[in-house]
Every structure is written in C-alpha cells, then in structure tokens.
Amino acid sequence: MLDLCMTVLDGVHEDRYLFRKELIKSISWLNNDDQEKFITWVREHFKNEHADVIDEILNTKYQFAS
C-alpha cells in the first residue's frame, strides 16, 4: 500500500488540488509505521513544490486511520 500511495502522489504532484486530496487519502489508508515512512518521503520529494500544502495537512488534526 505504501508503494501505491507513493506512486499515486508522484503522479498527481503537478496538480495542487489532487496532490492535497491524495496526500490526505494516502495518510488515512496507511498504518503508523508506513505513515512515518510516507511522510518522510513526501517531505523529501515535494518540500520545494508543495511545502505549504504538506505543512497544512501534517499540522492539521485529521482523523487518520491507523
């Protein structure tokens, strides 16, 4: 599931709206261990392009399933 989430996010990163939507969805689908790996990967790959979206999502208290 982690690989799928990475692939999907990489595929939509050019569209800000889809990036935000898929980031939320991906985090909610992953377990705690995979969430940590995914978040690290997201920050490394998209920090220059979508830093504000990443900070918004990761600093918001969404009810992510774990």
Side-chain angles (χ1 to χ4, degrees), residues 34-53:
D34 285 346
Q35 280 182 7
E36 290 179 28
K37 293 174 190 172
F38 182 70
I39 289 167
T40 300
W41 178 83
V42 167
R43 286 187 168 142
E44 289 173 359
H45 286 82
F46 303 110
K47 67 182 174 192
N48 294 329
E49 189 174 1
H50 294 298
D52 55 335
V53 173

mmCIF file with all atom_site columns, all heavy atoms in Angstrom, residues 34-53:
data_model
loop_
_atom_site.group_PDB
_atom_site.id
_atom_site.type_symbol
_atom_site.label_atom_id
_atom_site.label_alt_id
_atom_site.label_comp_id
_atom_site.label_asym_id
_atom_site.label_entity_id
_atom_site.label_seq_id
_atom_site.pdbx_PDB_ins_code
_atom_site.Cartn_x
_atom_site.Cartn_y
_atom_site.Cartn_z
_atom_site.occupancy
_atom_site.B_iso_or_equiv
_atom_site.pdbx_formal_charge
_atom_site.auth_seq_id
_atom_site.auth_comp_id
_atom_site.auth_asym_id
_atom_site.auth_atom_id
_atom_site.pdbx_PDB_model_num
ATOM 1   N N   . ASP A 1 34 ? 3.976  2.896  8.262  1.00 0.00 ? 34 ASP A N   1
ATOM 2   C CA  . ASP A 1 34 ? 4.005  3.349  6.877  1.00 0.00 ? 34 ASP A CA  1
ATOM 3   C C   . ASP A 1 34 ? 3.723  4.847  6.767  1.00 0.00 ? 34 ASP A C   1
ATOM 4   O O   . ASP A 1 34 ? 4.251  5.512  5.889  1.00 0.00 ? 34 ASP A O   1
ATOM 5   C CB  . ASP A 1 34 ? 3.022  2.550  6.022  1.00 0.00 ? 34 ASP A CB  1
ATOM 6   C CG  . ASP A 1 34 ? 3.527  1.154  5.707  1.00 0.00 ? 34 ASP A CG  1
ATOM 7   O OD1 . ASP A 1 34 ? 4.734  0.882  5.916  1.00 0.00 ? 34 ASP A OD1 1
ATOM 8   O OD2 . ASP A 1 34 ? 2.717  0.322  5.248  1.00 0.00 ? 34 ASP A OD2 1
ATOM 9   N N   . GLN A 1 35 ? 2.917  5.383  7.669  1.00 0.00 ? 35 GLN A N   1
ATOM 10  C CA  . GLN A 1 35 ? 2.672  6.824  7.676  1.00 0.00 ? 35 GLN A CA  1
ATOM 11  C C   . GLN A 1 35 ? 3.970  7.586  7.882  1.00 0.00 ? 35 GLN A C   1
ATOM 12  O O   . GLN A 1 35 ? 4.244  8.560  7.192  1.00 0.00 ? 35 GLN A O   1
ATOM 13  C CB  . GLN A 1 35 ? 1.680  7.218  8.777  1.00 0.00 ? 35 GLN A CB  1
ATOM 14  C CG  . GLN A 1 35 ? 0.247  6.998  8.439  1.00 0.00 ? 35 GLN A CG  1
ATOM 15  C CD  . GLN A 1 35 ? -0.689 7.451  9.562  1.00 0.00 ? 35 GLN A CD  1
ATOM 16  O OE1 . GLN A 1 35 ? -0.262 8.045  10.551 1.00 0.00 ? 35 GLN A OE1 1
ATOM 17  N NE2 . GLN A 1 35 ? -1.969 7.160  9.404  1.00 0.00 ? 35 GLN A NE2 1
ATOM 18  N N   . GLU A 1 36 ? 4.768  7.130  8.827  1.00 0.00 ? 36 GLU A N   1
ATOM 19  C CA  . GLU A 1 36 ? 6.045  7.798  9.106  1.00 0.00 ? 36 GLU A CA  1
ATOM 20  C C   . GLU A 1 36 ? 6.959  7.752  7.888  1.00 0.00 ? 36 GLU A C   1
ATOM 21  O O   . GLU A 1 36 ? 7.572  8.761  7.523  1.00 0.00 ? 36 GLU A O   1
ATOM 22  C CB  . GLU A 1 36 ? 6.727  7.157  10.310 1.00 0.00 ? 36 GLU A CB  1
ATOM 23  C CG  . GLU A 1 36 ? 6.027  7.438  11.620 1.00 0.00 ? 36 GLU A CG  1
ATOM 24  C CD  . GLU A 1 36 ? 6.713  6.769  12.793 1.00 0.00 ? 36 GLU A CD  1
ATOM 25  O OE1 . GLU A 1 36 ? 7.942  6.552  12.728 1.00 0.00 ? 36 GLU A OE1 1
ATOM 26  O OE2 . GLU A 1 36 ? 6.020  6.483  13.777 1.00 0.00 ? 36 GLU A OE2 1
ATOM 27  N N   . LYS A 1 37 ? 7.060  6.593  7.252  1.00 0.00 ? 37 LYS A N   1
ATOM 28  C CA  . LYS A 1 37 ? 7.893  6.453  6.053  1.00 0.00 ? 37 LYS A CA  1
ATOM 29  C C   . LYS A 1 37 ? 7.364  7.338  4.932  1.00 0.00 ? 37 LYS A C   1
ATOM 30  O O   . LYS A 1 37 ? 8.130  8.000  4.228  1.00 0.00 ? 37 LYS A O   1
ATOM 31  C CB  . LYS A 1 37 ? 7.922  4.996  5.586  1.00 0.00 ? 37 LYS A CB  1
ATOM 32  C CG  . LYS A 1 37 ? 8.613  4.064  6.538  1.00 0.00 ? 37 LYS A CG  1
ATOM 33  C CD  . LYS A 1 37 ? 8.465  2.630  6.083  1.00 0.00 ? 37 LYS A CD  1
ATOM 34  C CE  . LYS A 1 37 ? 8.928  1.661  7.147  1.00 0.00 ? 37 LYS A CE  1
ATOM 35  N NZ  . LYS A 1 37 ? 8.615  0.265  6.790  1.00 0.00 ? 37 LYS A NZ  1
ATOM 36  N N   . PHE A 1 38 ? 6.056  7.341  4.759  1.00 0.00 ? 38 PHE A N   1
ATOM 37  C CA  . PHE A 1 38 ? 5.423  8.117  3.704  1.00 0.00 ? 38 PHE A CA  1
ATOM 38  C C   . PHE A 1 38 ? 5.631  9.614  3.918  1.00 0.00 ? 38 PHE A C   1
ATOM 39  O O   . PHE A 1 38 ? 5.990  10.339 2.983  1.00 0.00 ? 38 PHE A O   1
ATOM 40  C CB  . PHE A 1 38 ? 3.924  7.789  3.650  1.00 0.00 ? 38 PHE A CB  1
ATOM 41  C CG  . PHE A 1 38 ? 3.178  8.491  2.561  1.00 0.00 ? 38 PHE A CG  1
ATOM 42  C CD1 . PHE A 1 38 ? 3.382  8.163  1.233  1.00 0.00 ? 38 PHE A CD1 1
ATOM 43  C CD2 . PHE A 1 38 ? 2.241  9.467  2.866  1.00 0.00 ? 38 PHE A CD2 1
ATOM 44  C CE1 . PHE A 1 38 ? 2.678  8.807  0.216  1.00 0.00 ? 38 PHE A CE1 1
ATOM 45  C CE2 . PHE A 1 38 ? 1.534  10.113 1.867  1.00 0.00 ? 38 PHE A CE2 1
ATOM 46  C CZ  . PHE A 1 38 ? 1.753  9.776  0.541  1.00 0.00 ? 38 PHE A CZ  1
ATOM 47  N N   . ILE A 1 39 ? 5.436  10.069 5.125  1.00 0.00 ? 39 ILE A N   1
ATOM 48  C CA  . ILE A 1 39 ? 5.598  11.487 5.434  1.00 0.00 ? 39 ILE A CA  1
ATOM 49  C C   . ILE A 1 39 ? 7.034  11.927 5.190  1.00 0.00 ? 39 ILE A C   1
ATOM 50  O O   . ILE A 1 39 ? 7.285  13.002 4.620  1.00 0.00 ? 39 ILE A O   1
ATOM 51  C CB  . ILE A 1 39 ? 5.134  11.790 6.874  1.00 0.00 ? 39 ILE A CB  1
ATOM 52  C CG1 . ILE A 1 39 ? 3.608  11.672 6.948  1.00 0.00 ? 39 ILE A CG1 1
ATOM 53  C CG2 . ILE A 1 39 ? 5.596  13.157 7.336  1.00 0.00 ? 39 ILE A CG2 1
ATOM 54  C CD1 . ILE A 1 39 ? 3.042  11.647 8.347  1.00 0.00 ? 39 ILE A CD1 1
ATOM 55  N N   . THR A 1 40 ? 7.992  11.116 5.588  1.00 0.00 ? 40 THR A N   1
ATOM 56  C CA  . THR A 1 40 ? 9.402  11.418 5.328  1.00 0.00 ? 40 THR A CA  1
ATOM 57  C C   . THR A 1 40 ? 9.650  11.512 3.835  1.00 0.00 ? 40 THR A C   1
ATOM 58  O O   . THR A 1 40 ? 10.299 12.446 3.348  1.00 0.00 ? 40 THR A O   1
ATOM 59  C CB  . THR A 1 40 ? 10.307 10.344 5.960  1.00 0.00 ? 40 THR A CB  1
ATOM 60  O OG1 . THR A 1 40 ? 10.077 10.327 7.374  1.00 0.00 ? 40 THR A OG1 1
ATOM 61  C CG2 . THR A 1 40 ? 11.769 10.617 5.672  1.00 0.00 ? 40 THR A CG2 1
ATOM 62  N N   . TRP A 1 41 ? 9.130  10.552 3.087  1.00 0.00 ? 41 TRP A N   1
ATOM 63  C CA  . TRP A 1 41 ? 9.287  10.539 1.634  1.00 0.00 ? 41 TRP A CA  1
ATOM 64  C C   . TRP A 1 41 ? 8.648  11.774 1.005  1.00 0.00 ? 41 TRP A C   1
ATOM 65  O O   . TRP A 1 41 ? 9.238  12.415 0.122  1.00 0.00 ? 41 TRP A O   1
ATOM 66  C CB  . TRP A 1 41 ? 8.669  9.263  1.064  1.00 0.00 ? 41 TRP A CB  1
ATOM 67  C CG  . TRP A 1 41 ? 8.728  9.165  -0.424 1.00 0.00 ? 41 TRP A CG  1
ATOM 68  C CD1 . TRP A 1 41 ? 9.772  8.728  -1.181 1.00 0.00 ? 41 TRP A CD1 1
ATOM 69  C CD2 . TRP A 1 41 ? 7.687  9.529  -1.346 1.00 0.00 ? 41 TRP A CD2 1
ATOM 70  N NE1 . TRP A 1 41 ? 9.449  8.798  -2.509 1.00 0.00 ? 41 TRP A NE1 1
ATOM 71  C CE2 . TRP A 1 41 ? 8.174  9.282  -2.644 1.00 0.00 ? 41 TRP A CE2 1
ATOM 72  C CE3 . TRP A 1 41 ? 6.396  10.023 -1.202 1.00 0.00 ? 41 TRP A CE3 1
ATOM 73  C CZ2 . TRP A 1 41 ? 7.416  9.523  -3.781 1.00 0.00 ? 41 TRP A CZ2 1
ATOM 74  C CZ3 . TRP A 1 41 ? 5.638  10.268 -2.335 1.00 0.00 ? 41 TRP A CZ3 1
ATOM 75  C CH2 . TRP A 1 41 ? 6.153  10.022 -3.606 1.00 0.00 ? 41 TRP A CH2 1
ATOM 76  N N   . VAL A 1 42 ? 7.444  12.122 1.449  1.00 0.00 ? 42 VAL A N   1
ATOM 77  C CA  . VAL A 1 42 ? 6.742  13.294 0.908  1.00 0.00 ? 42 VAL A CA  1
ATOM 78  C C   . VAL A 1 42 ? 7.557  14.560 1.146  1.00 0.00 ? 42 VAL A C   1
ATOM 79  O O   . VAL A 1 42 ? 7.739  15.376 0.237  1.00 0.00 ? 42 VAL A O   1
ATOM 80  C CB  . VAL A 1 42 ? 5.331  13.432 1.536  1.00 0.00 ? 42 VAL A CB  1
ATOM 81  C CG1 . VAL A 1 42 ? 4.724  14.788 1.237  1.00 0.00 ? 42 VAL A CG1 1
ATOM 82  C CG2 . VAL A 1 42 ? 4.425  12.317 1.039  1.00 0.00 ? 42 VAL A CG2 1
ATOM 83  N N   . ARG A 1 43 ? 8.054  14.718 2.341  1.00 0.00 ? 43 ARG A N   1
ATOM 84  C CA  . ARG A 1 43 ? 8.838  15.922 2.653  1.00 0.00 ? 43 ARG A CA  1
ATOM 85  C C   . ARG A 1 43 ? 10.110 15.988 1.814  1.00 0.00 ? 43 ARG A C   1
ATOM 86  O O   . ARG A 1 43 ? 10.495 17.066 1.363  1.00 0.00 ? 43 ARG A O   1
ATOM 87  C CB  . ARG A 1 43 ? 9.167  15.955 4.141  1.00 0.00 ? 43 ARG A CB  1
ATOM 88  C CG  . ARG A 1 43 ? 7.962  16.325 4.973  1.00 0.00 ? 43 ARG A CG  1
ATOM 89  C CD  . ARG A 1 43 ? 8.312  16.525 6.416  1.00 0.00 ? 43 ARG A CD  1
ATOM 90  N NE  . ARG A 1 43 ? 7.208  17.139 7.121  1.00 0.00 ? 43 ARG A NE  1
ATOM 91  C CZ  . ARG A 1 43 ? 6.859  16.836 8.354  1.00 0.00 ? 43 ARG A CZ  1
ATOM 92  N NH1 . ARG A 1 43 ? 7.525  15.929 9.022  1.00 0.00 ? 43 ARG A NH1 1
ATOM 93  N NH2 . ARG A 1 43 ? 5.851  17.444 8.929  1.00 0.00 ? 43 ARG A NH2 1
ATOM 94  N N   . GLU A 1 44 ? 10.756 14.859 1.607  1.00 0.00 ? 44 GLU A N   1
ATOM 95  C CA  . GLU A 1 44 ? 11.986 14.840 0.812  1.00 0.00 ? 44 GLU A CA  1
ATOM 96  C C   . GLU A 1 44 ? 11.725 15.155 -0.659 1.00 0.00 ? 44 GLU A C   1
ATOM 97  O O   . GLU A 1 44 ? 12.507 15.853 -1.290 1.00 0.00 ? 44 GLU A O   1
ATOM 98  C CB  . GLU A 1 44 ? 12.668 13.477 0.910  1.00 0.00 ? 44 GLU A CB  1
ATOM 99  C CG  . GLU A 1 44 ? 13.285 13.197 2.251  1.00 0.00 ? 44 GLU A CG  1
ATOM 100 C CD  . GLU A 1 44 ? 13.809 11.770 2.377  1.00 0.00 ? 44 GLU A CD  1
ATOM 101 O OE1 . GLU A 1 44 ? 13.678 10.973 1.411  1.00 0.00 ? 44 GLU A OE1 1
ATOM 102 O OE2 . GLU A 1 44 ? 14.349 11.451 3.444  1.00 0.00 ? 44 GLU A OE2 1
ATOM 103 N N   . HIS A 1 45 ? 10.634 14.655 -1.201 1.00 0.00 ? 45 HIS A N   1
ATOM 104 C CA  . HIS A 1 45 ? 10.379 14.776 -2.631 1.00 0.00 ? 45 HIS A CA  1
ATOM 105 C C   . HIS A 1 45 ? 9.599  16.022 -3.051 1.00 0.00 ? 45 HIS A C   1
ATOM 106 O O   . HIS A 1 45 ? 9.731  16.475 -4.188 1.00 0.00 ? 45 HIS A O   1
ATOM 107 C CB  . HIS A 1 45 ? 9.645  13.529 -3.143 1.00 0.00 ? 45 HIS A CB  1
ATOM 108 C CG  . HIS A 1 45 ? 10.531 12.346 -3.247 1.00 0.00 ? 45 HIS A CG  1
ATOM 109 N ND1 . HIS A 1 45 ? 10.835 11.542 -2.172 1.00 0.00 ? 45 HIS A ND1 1
ATOM 110 C CD2 . HIS A 1 45 ? 11.210 11.839 -4.302 1.00 0.00 ? 45 HIS A CD2 1
ATOM 111 C CE1 . HIS A 1 45 ? 11.645 10.585 -2.560 1.00 0.00 ? 45 HIS A CE1 1
ATOM 112 N NE2 . HIS A 1 45 ? 11.897 10.744 -3.848 1.00 0.00 ? 45 HIS A NE2 1
ATOM 113 N N   . PHE A 1 46 ? 8.787  16.561 -2.170 1.00 0.00 ? 46 PHE A N   1
ATOM 114 C CA  . PHE A 1 46 ? 7.887  17.635 -2.582 1.00 0.00 ? 46 PHE A CA  1
ATOM 115 C C   . PHE A 1 46 ? 7.985  18.900 -1.737 1.00 0.00 ? 46 PHE A C   1
ATOM 116 O O   . PHE A 1 46 ? 7.154  19.797 -1.880 1.00 0.00 ? 46 PHE A O   1
ATOM 117 C CB  . PHE A 1 46 ? 6.437  17.136 -2.582 1.00 0.00 ? 46 PHE A CB  1
ATOM 118 C CG  . PHE A 1 46 ? 6.224  15.935 -3.451 1.00 0.00 ? 46 PHE A CG  1
ATOM 119 C CD1 . PHE A 1 46 ? 5.965  14.696 -2.886 1.00 0.00 ? 46 PHE A CD1 1
ATOM 120 C CD2 . PHE A 1 46 ? 6.313  16.028 -4.833 1.00 0.00 ? 46 PHE A CD2 1
ATOM 121 C CE1 . PHE A 1 46 ? 5.776  13.573 -3.674 1.00 0.00 ? 46 PHE A CE1 1
ATOM 122 C CE2 . PHE A 1 46 ? 6.132  14.912 -5.642 1.00 0.00 ? 46 PHE A CE2 1
ATOM 123 C CZ  . PHE A 1 46 ? 5.866  13.677 -5.062 1.00 0.00 ? 46 PHE A CZ  1
ATOM 124 N N   . LYS A 1 47 ? 8.998  19.002 -0.875 1.00 0.00 ? 47 LYS A N   1
ATOM 125 C CA  . LYS A 1 47 ? 9.084  20.157 0.021  1.00 0.00 ? 47 LYS A CA  1
ATOM 126 C C   . LYS A 1 47 ? 9.225  21.480 -0.731 1.00 0.00 ? 47 LYS A C   1
ATOM 127 O O   . LYS A 1 47 ? 8.691  22.487 -0.299 1.00 0.00 ? 47 LYS A O   1
ATOM 128 C CB  . LYS A 1 47 ? 10.226 19.989 1.016  1.00 0.00 ? 47 LYS A CB  1
ATOM 129 C CG  . LYS A 1 47 ? 11.603 20.005 0.392  1.00 0.00 ? 47 LYS A CG  1
ATOM 130 C CD  . LYS A 1 47 ? 12.676 19.794 1.425  1.00 0.00 ? 47 LYS A CD  1
ATOM 131 C CE  . LYS A 1 47 ? 14.022 19.667 0.712  1.00 0.00 ? 47 LYS A CE  1
ATOM 132 N NZ  . LYS A 1 47 ? 15.045 19.198 1.607  1.00 0.00 ? 47 LYS A NZ  1
ATOM 133 N N   . ASN A 1 48 ? 9.905  21.485 -1.860 1.00 0.00 ? 48 ASN A N   1
ATOM 134 C CA  . ASN A 1 48 ? 10.077 22.730 -2.608 1.00 0.00 ? 48 ASN A CA  1
ATOM 135 C C   . ASN A 1 48 ? 8.831  23.102 -3.394 1.00 0.00 ? 48 ASN A C   1
ATOM 136 O O   . ASN A 1 48 ? 8.547  24.279 -3.597 1.00 0.00 ? 48 ASN A O   1
ATOM 137 C CB  . ASN A 1 48 ? 11.270 22.624 -3.557 1.00 0.00 ? 48 ASN A CB  1
ATOM 138 C CG  . ASN A 1 48 ? 12.579 22.496 -2.817 1.00 0.00 ? 48 ASN A CG  1
ATOM 139 O OD1 . ASN A 1 48 ? 12.728 23.016 -1.726 1.00 0.00 ? 48 ASN A OD1 1
ATOM 140 N ND2 . ASN A 1 48 ? 13.519 21.790 -3.399 1.00 0.00 ? 48 ASN A ND2 1
ATOM 141 N N   . GLU A 1 49 ? 8.109  22.110 -3.833 1.00 0.00 ? 49 GLU A N   1
ATOM 142 C CA  . GLU A 1 49 ? 6.949  22.344 -4.692 1.00 0.00 ? 49 GLU A CA  1
ATOM 143 C C   . GLU A 1 49 ? 5.654  22.590 -3.905 1.00 0.00 ? 49 GLU A C   1
ATOM 144 O O   . GLU A 1 49 ? 4.833  23.413 -4.303 1.00 0.00 ? 49 GLU A O   1
ATOM 145 C CB  . GLU A 1 49 ? 6.767  21.129 -5.602 1.00 0.00 ? 49 GLU A CB  1
ATOM 146 C CG  . GLU A 1 49 ? 5.759  21.290 -6.681 1.00 0.00 ? 49 GLU A CG  1
ATOM 147 C CD  . GLU A 1 49 ? 5.739  20.102 -7.634 1.00 0.00 ? 49 GLU A CD  1
ATOM 148 O OE1 . GLU A 1 49 ? 6.514  19.144 -7.437 1.00 0.00 ? 49 GLU A OE1 1
ATOM 149 O OE2 . GLU A 1 49 ? 4.931  20.139 -8.565 1.00 0.00 ? 49 GLU A OE2 1
ATOM 150 N N   . HIS A 1 50 ? 5.483  21.868 -2.795 1.00 0.00 ? 50 HIS A N   1
ATOM 151 C CA  . HIS A 1 50 ? 4.213  21.925 -2.055 1.00 0.00 ? 50 HIS A CA  1
ATOM 152 C C   . HIS A 1 50 ? 4.416  22.033 -0.544 1.00 0.00 ? 50 HIS A C   1
ATOM 153 O O   . HIS A 1 50 ? 3.648  21.461 0.223  1.00 0.00 ? 50 HIS A O   1
ATOM 154 C CB  . HIS A 1 50 ? 3.395  20.663 -2.338 1.00 0.00 ? 50 HIS A CB  1
ATOM 155 C CG  . HIS A 1 50 ? 2.934  20.527 -3.748 1.00 0.00 ? 50 HIS A CG  1
ATOM 156 N ND1 . HIS A 1 50 ? 2.092  21.434 -4.350 1.00 0.00 ? 50 HIS A ND1 1
ATOM 157 C CD2 . HIS A 1 50 ? 3.213  19.598 -4.691 1.00 0.00 ? 50 HIS A CD2 1
ATOM 158 C CE1 . HIS A 1 50 ? 1.856  21.057 -5.597 1.00 0.00 ? 50 HIS A CE1 1
ATOM 159 N NE2 . HIS A 1 50 ? 2.532  19.952 -5.829 1.00 0.00 ? 50 HIS A NE2 1
ATOM 160 N N   . ALA A 1 51 ? 5.408  22.782 -0.117 1.00 0.00 ? 51 ALA A N   1
ATOM 161 C CA  . ALA A 1 51 ? 5.693  22.893 1.319  1.00 0.00 ? 51 ALA A CA  1
ATOM 162 C C   . ALA A 1 51 ? 4.488  23.374 2.117  1.00 0.00 ? 51 ALA A C   1
ATOM 163 O O   . ALA A 1 51 ? 4.197  22.846 3.197  1.00 0.00 ? 51 ALA A O   1
ATOM 164 C CB  . ALA A 1 51 ? 6.880  23.815 1.553  1.00 0.00 ? 51 ALA A CB  1
ATOM 165 N N   . ASP A 1 52 ? 3.754  24.347 1.575  1.00 0.00 ? 52 ASP A N   1
ATOM 166 C CA  . ASP A 1 52 ? 2.604  24.890 2.298  1.00 0.00 ? 52 ASP A CA  1
ATOM 167 C C   . ASP A 1 52 ? 1.485  23.862 2.443  1.00 0.00 ? 52 ASP A C   1
ATOM 168 O O   . ASP A 1 52 ? 0.868  23.734 3.507  1.00 0.00 ? 52 ASP A O   1
ATOM 169 C CB  . ASP A 1 52 ? 2.079  26.163 1.635  1.00 0.00 ? 52 ASP A CB  1
ATOM 170 C CG  . ASP A 1 52 ? 1.731  25.974 0.160  1.00 0.00 ? 52 ASP A CG  1
ATOM 171 O OD1 . ASP A 1 52 ? 2.291  25.063 -0.490 1.00 0.00 ? 52 ASP A OD1 1
ATOM 172 O OD2 . ASP A 1 52 ? 0.899  26.741 -0.348 1.00 0.00 ? 52 ASP A OD2 1
ATOM 173 N N   . VAL A 1 53 ? 1.228  23.086 1.402  1.00 0.00 ? 53 VAL A N   1
ATOM 174 C CA  . VAL A 1 53 ? 0.195  22.045 1.455  1.00 0.00 ? 53 VAL A CA  1
ATOM 175 C C   . VAL A 1 53 ? 0.609  20.953 2.441  1.00 0.00 ? 53 VAL A C   1
ATOM 176 O O   . VAL A 1 53 ? -0.196 20.511 3.267  1.00 0.00 ? 53 VAL A O   1
ATOM 177 C CB  . VAL A 1 53 ? -0.053 21.435 0.058  1.00 0.00 ? 53 VAL A CB  1
ATOM 178 C CG1 . VAL A 1 53 ? -1.004 20.253 0.145  1.00 0.00 ? 53 VAL A CG1 1
ATOM 179 C CG2 . VAL A 1 53 ? -0.578 22.484 -0.892 1.00 0.00 ? 53 VAL A CG2 1
#
